Amino acid sequence: MHPVLVYTASRIGLFVVTLGVLYLLGLQNPLVLIAASFLISGVASYVLLSKQRDAMSARISDKLDRPQPRDD
């Protein structure tokens, strides 16, 4: 599967899981719930998704370094 899709799906999944856990722990204010979930999932993804992030950046870097065909 495409590394960018894997990383993006993993980030979204981690956010949803964090949102659900915080909701079950009693955080009811929607704004605080979303903000806290965003921050916690961001830190967690930095730690847990390093392999996927490296694969994604390598894929993007390879695409950018590849010479583009010129239409003359």
Side-chain angles (χ1 to χ4, degrees), residues 14-69:
L14 195 56
F15 175 76
V16 169
V17 167
T18 306
L19 190 81
V21 168
L22 289 176
Y23 182 77
L24 290 175
L25 289 175
L27 204 57
Q28 300 294 320
N29 185 343
L31 184 60
V32 174
L33 178 64
I34 291 171
S37 298
F38 181 74
L39 290 173
I40 293 170
S41 68
V43 172
S45 71
Y46 183 75
V47 174
L48 298 174
L49 301 178
S50 63
K51 188 186 298 185
Q52 289 86 355
R53 187 174 47 255
D54 291 342
M56 179 185 70
S57 66
R59 175 76 178 241
I60 292 171
S61 178
D62 289 345
K63 290 277 189 180
L64 292 176
D65 290 343
R66 190 178 311 157
Q68 299 294 324

